[in-house]
């Protein structure tokens, strides 16, 4: 049948470069993570009530009254963290090996990143703990920095004059729907990838040296999945709240502001960039640019060889960017005071400087 033919061409007879490494496993791992998130989220939604007076207590009560609800919630919460670990490593691999030259594949991938970020933020609000409520208040208030229409946009997002029941209800609906949009875009991502072919560590054409996807890479992806899911389950069983915030075990209270408001760890790098700019509008622009600058990569100056494997200076810059990303994550978890503000400002400059310098630098090395 036509459907089986498509599936066979996608996961069985697909011609794949013979020399791709373990770094190419993260695409399939992200597919597994997405399936886990959709399934566990569907189970959790069956026992959730989107109401400011009930959400917090329904989540707590479900731990003891619903069989294995604690397991599904821990899997869903930690699965989001592992999803972002896979996303960031997948993007880093694409930047290092020059996968961004496939413009359609890269653009769809960045849109997927934006939708996953939006879905993660919406989901973090649903338990209606202190950090959920104040995180929603802070992030949605950023839209007030928009000239002329900012105030109206914020009221439209809230569904009123503050983060309240209307906000929670619409956030729940959007959080439920967005993952299905991500799944659709993931299919489009694969379509463009299979149409253009995968890149490889050497950065040269591998059309003459390919093997079929099954069983060579199916087995390799299964091994990668075991190594990826193993730590996730260990976290779920032995320390499920390690990556969470203790403030979120307190019911959201508009009259009590937490001493230090911060998002989940996977947003801290962008949060640090936001706080590094003293002007509110400038901070919002910098926050958006921190992710949207990925759209610029396919249009940066092209090197003779895809990827940075044969560019020593480029490799140094890339791993410096990785260090800057980690330090920004660390700085985002610190209070808004010196020296952390100055450190965030310096790191933010280095972060954006990489994207502007890496293309011309590789061209100079070519010459």
């Amino acid at each position: 049948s036509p459907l089986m033919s498509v599936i066979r061409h996608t996961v069985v007879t697909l011609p794949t470069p013979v020399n791709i490494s373990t770094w190419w496993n993260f695409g399939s791992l992200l597919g597994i993570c997405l399936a886990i998130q959709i399934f566990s989220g569907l189970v959790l939604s069956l026992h959730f009530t989107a109401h400011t007076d009930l959400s917090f207590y329904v989540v707590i009560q479900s731990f003891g009254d619903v069989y294995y609800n604690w397991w599904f919630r821990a899997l869903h919460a930690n699965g989001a963290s592992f999803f972002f670990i896979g996303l960031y490593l997948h993007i880093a691999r694409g930047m290092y090996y020059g996968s961004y030259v496939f413009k359609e594949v890269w653009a769809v991938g960045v849109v997927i990143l934006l939708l996953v970020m939006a879905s993660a933020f919406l989901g973090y609000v649903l338990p209606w703990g202190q950090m959920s409520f104040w995180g929603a208040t802070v992030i949605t208030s950023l839209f007030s920095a928009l000239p002329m229409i900012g105030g109206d946009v914020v009221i439209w997002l809230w569904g009123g004059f503050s983060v309240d029941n209307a906000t929670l209800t619409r956030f729940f609906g959007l959080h439920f729907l967005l993952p299905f949009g991500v799944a659709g875009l993931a299919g489009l991502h694969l379509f463009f990838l299979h149409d253009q072919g995968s890149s490889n560590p050497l950065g040269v054409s591998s059309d003459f040296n390919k093997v079929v996807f099954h069983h060579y890479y199916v087995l390799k992806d299964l091994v990668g999945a075991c190594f990826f899911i193993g730590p996730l389950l260990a976290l779920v069983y032995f320390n499920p709240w390690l990556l969470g915030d203790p403030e979120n075990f307190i019911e959201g209270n508009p009259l009590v502001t937490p001493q230090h408001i911060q998002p989940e760890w996977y947003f801290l790098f962008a949060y640090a960039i936001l706080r590094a700019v003293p002007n509110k509008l400038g901070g919002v622009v910098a926050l958006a640019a921190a992710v949207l600058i990925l759209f610029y990569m396919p249009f940066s100056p092209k090197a003779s060889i895809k990827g940075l494997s044969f560019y020593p200076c480029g490799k140094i810059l890339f791993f410096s960017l990785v260090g800057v990303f980690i330090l920004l994550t660390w700085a985002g978890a610190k209070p808004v005071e010196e020296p952390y503000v100055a450190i965030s400002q310096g790191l933010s400059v280095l972060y954006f400087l990489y994207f502007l310098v890496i293309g011309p630098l590789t061209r100079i090395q070519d010459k």
Side-chain angles (χ1 to χ4, degrees):
S1 68
L3 179 60
M4 292 304 297
S5 177
V6 170
I7 295 173
R8 179 178 176 82
H9 179 68
T10 302
V11 296
V12 179
T13 61
L14 178 71
T16 310
V18 74
N19 64 329
I20 60 176
S21 65
T22 306
W23 291 109
W24 271 257
N25 276 44
F26 285 96
S28 61
L29 293 178
L30 288 171
I32 293 172
C33 281
L34 180 60
I36 290 173
Q37 292 303 96
I38 289 177
F39 177 71
S40 60
L42 179 61
V43 173
L44 291 175
S45 70
L46 300 176
H47 306 283
F48 180 76
T49 304
H51 194 285
T52 53
D53 295 334
L54 300 173
S55 295
F56 183 80
Y57 297 102
V58 165
V59 169
I60 299 299
Q61 185 185 23
S62 298
F63 279 3
D65 292 354
V66 180
Y67 283 120
Y68 291 104
N69 181 274
W70 65 269
W71 188 83
F72 279 107
R73 187 177 176 211
L75 181 68
H76 196 70
N78 291 296
S81 292
F82 274 70
F83 202 163
F84 275 95
I85 290 171
L87 271 173
Y88 290 151
L89 290 174
H90 193 55
I91 292 169
R93 190 270 300 167
M95 292 170 62
Y96 184 84
Y97 289 112
S99 300
Y100 50 82
V101 298
F102 304 132
K103 295 181 180 179
E104 294 88 352
V105 181
W106 184 261
V108 174
V110 177
V111 174
I112 290 174
L113 172 65
L114 292 170
L115 287 185
V116 171
M117 283 182 156
S119 183
F121 164 69
L122 296 171
Y124 191 57
V125 178
L126 301 185
W128 207 246
Q130 271 288 72
M131 204 55 70
S132 296
F133 173 81
W134 286 102
T137 302
V138 170
I139 298 303
T140 52
S141 295
L142 294 177
F143 288 93
S144 65
L146 296 173
M148 305 291 291
I149 61 171
D152 293 332
V153 170
V154 172
I155 292 174
W156 177 75
L157 286 172
W158 287 344
F161 297 101
S162 65
V163 175
D164 208 339
N165 196 57
T167 317
L168 181 62
T169 305
R170 62 184 59 183
F171 276 22
F172 175 59
L174 289 172
H175 180 66
F176 189 88
L177 289 174
L178 280 181
F180 295 102
V182 172
L185 284 174
L188 186 63
H189 189 63
L190 283 174
F191 172 78
F192 285 128
L193 175 66
H194 293 168
D195 182 57
Q196 299 176 349
S198 297
S199 57
N200 64 86
L202 290 178
V204 296
S205 175
S206 59
D207 290 341
F208 58 89
N209 194 14
K210 290 189 176 183
V211 294
V212 291
F213 190 81
H214 179 74
H215 55 86
Y216 294 103
Y217 290 111
V218 168
L219 293 177
K220 191 171 184 179
D221 283 347
L222 288 175
V223 172
C226 291
F227 278 101
F228 198 72
I229 293 175
L232 171 60
L233 292 179
L235 198 61
V236 168
Y237 283 115
F238 296 110
N239 201 345
W241 314 121
L242 175 66
L243 302 175
D245 195 307
E247 288 278 358
N248 232 28
F249 288 90
I250 304 171
E251 186 182 5
N253 186 349
L255 302 179
V256 179
T257 308
Q259 185 175 3
H260 178 45
I261 301 173
Q262 66 180 52
E264 288 285 77
W265 70 266
Y266 36 79
F267 293 145
L268 287 176
F269 83 98
Y271 190 56
I273 293 174
L274 167 70
R275 299 187 318 183
V277 182
N279 178 268
K280 186 175 182 179
L281 179 58
V284 173
V285 171
L287 170 69
V291 179
L292 296 179
I293 197 169
L294 293 173
F295 282 115
Y296 165 74
M297 292 295 289
F299 304 98
S300 60
K302 303 295 186 299
S304 297
I305 302 173
K306 282 189 294 185
L308 302 175
S309 299
F310 302 101
Y311 296 95
C313 293
K315 292 168 77 171
I316 292 171
L317 272 182
F318 175 80
F319 289 109
S320 298
L321 176 68
V322 173
V324 166
F325 181 88
I326 294 171
L327 289 173
L328 278 170
T329 301
W330 166 79
K334 298 298 180 181
V336 190
E337 59 187 32
E338 296 297 344
Y340 304 117
V341 173
I343 291 172
S344 297
Q345 290 172 343
L347 291 172
S348 300
V349 172
L350 294 175
Y351 176 85
F352 289 110
L353 198 59
Y354 169 84
F355 294 94
L356 301 177
V357 168
I358 189 64
L361 180 65
T362 52
R363 291 298 299 272
I364 291 170
Q365 286 185 263
D366 281 340
K367 292 183 179 180

